């Protein structure tokens, strides 16, 4: 059972990466600047909302709604077909209340879907920029540390031209 769940999870992630993200997002080919990487990484590590704050991508809201509506119907239509006989015998007042609840669920789950896509694309962009600016440091091991060092650099008002040297020096000295 665990293997099936793992397979489904990897298939969903692969479908998201290969089909949904290229359809709903416009990604820039330009590399992210060092300061933008630090700022974006800090926001991501702090769990802040990333929509509209990361350079390098733009989300098409219309396309994201189309994708979400298609996914919603893939789940909803088979359930409606299974429960059709029961649903046709329910009082119309109850059906109106159910339609209100399903509409609320639609928009609530769309917000979750949208945040998931934005976080996925943001992490992809951050990792790509990380490989460019920190090729000798693993993202998974050092992302939080770089975020903390960047916060310290902002507090100490380190000049922009010395920021990269300051962060690399601190990374090297803390990892010895």
């Amino acid at each position: 059972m665990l293997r099936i769940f793992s397979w489904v999870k990897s298939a969903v992630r692969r479908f998201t990466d290969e089909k949904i993200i290229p359809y709903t997002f416009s990604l820039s080919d330009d590399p992210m600047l060092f300061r933008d990487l630090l700022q974006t990484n800090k926001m991501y590590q702090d769990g802040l909302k990333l929509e509209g704050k990361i350079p390098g991508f733009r989300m098409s809201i219309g396309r994201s709604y189309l994708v979400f509506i298609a996914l919603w119907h893939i789940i909803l239509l088979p359930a409606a077909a299974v429960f059709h006989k029961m649903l046709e015998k329910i009082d119309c007042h109850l059906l109106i209340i159910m339609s209100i609840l399903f509409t609320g669920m639609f928009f609530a789950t769309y917000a979750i879907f949208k945040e998931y896509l934005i976080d996925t694309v943001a992490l992809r962009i951050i990792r790509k920029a990380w490989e460019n600016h920190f090729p000798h440091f693993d993202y998974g091991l050092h992302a939080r540390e770089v975020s903390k060092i960047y916060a310290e650099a902002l507090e100490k008002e380190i000049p922009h031209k010395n920021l990269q040297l300051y962060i690399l020096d601190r990374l090297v000295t803390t990892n010895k």
Side-chain angles (χ1 to χ4, degrees):
M1 186 66 161
L2 186 59
R3 252 171 63 189
I4 293 172
F5 180 72
S6 175
W7 179 82
V8 169
K9 186 177 177 181
S10 67
V12 167
R13 182 165 286 144
R14 190 172 47 250
F15 181 74
T16 301
D17 288 342
E18 294 174 4
K19 303 292 183 193
I20 294 175
I21 289 175
Y23 182 71
T24 57
F25 287 92
S26 298
L27 302 174
S28 173
D29 292 332
D30 297 335
M32 184 182 270
L33 299 174
F34 184 74
R35 183 164 175 85
D36 290 339
L37 168 64
L38 295 174
Q39 211 168 16
T40 305
N41 181 53
K42 179 156 179 31
M43 287 189 304
Y44 185 81
Q45 295 300 323
D46 292 344
L48 299 177
K49 189 174 180 176
L50 300 172
E51 183 180 4
K53 297 178 182 169
I54 300 176
F57 77 90
R58 186 179 61 82
M59 181 179 197
S60 171
I61 301 296
R63 287 184 175 191
S64 68
Y65 267 117
L66 285 175
V67 169
F68 185 72
I69 289 170
L71 293 174
W72 181 265
H73 280 86
I74 287 172
I75 294 169
L76 195 61
L77 288 178
V82 169
F83 296 111
H84 181 70
K85 289 292 181 189
M86 186 178 78
L87 290 173
E88 69 182 16
K89 294 177 184 172
I90 295 177
D91 182 38
C92 69
H93 294 92
L94 185 59
L95 288 176
I96 292 170
I97 293 171
M98 286 177 59
S99 69
I100 292 169
L101 291 174
F102 273 97
T103 302
M105 281 180 23
F106 174 82
F107 287 108
T109 53
Y110 174 73
I112 294 168
F113 172 76
K114 183 178 166 185
E115 286 297 318
Y116 168 75
L117 286 180
I118 289 171
D119 285 347
T120 303
V121 171
L123 184 60
R124 180 188 290 181
I125 289 172
I126 291 169
R127 284 183 180 271
K128 183 178 176 184
W130 188 276
E131 291 173 5
N132 187 25
H133 294 290
F134 296 108
H136 302 294
F137 297 97
D138 182 46
Y139 176 79
L141 297 174
H142 300 288
R144 287 200 186 278
E145 187 178 355
V146 168
S147 176
K148 289 177 186 175
I149 295 170
Y150 176 62
E152 291 172 11
L154 289 178
E155 284 179 18
K156 293 180 180 180
E157 298 179 1
I158 303 293
H160 299 296
K161 62 182 179 179
N162 298 338
L163 189 61
Q164 186 170 10
L165 183 61
Y166 176 80
I167 290 176
L168 288 173
D169 283 344
R170 291 289 311 272
L171 268 175
V172 170
T173 57
T174 57
N175 288 323
K176 281 188 176 182

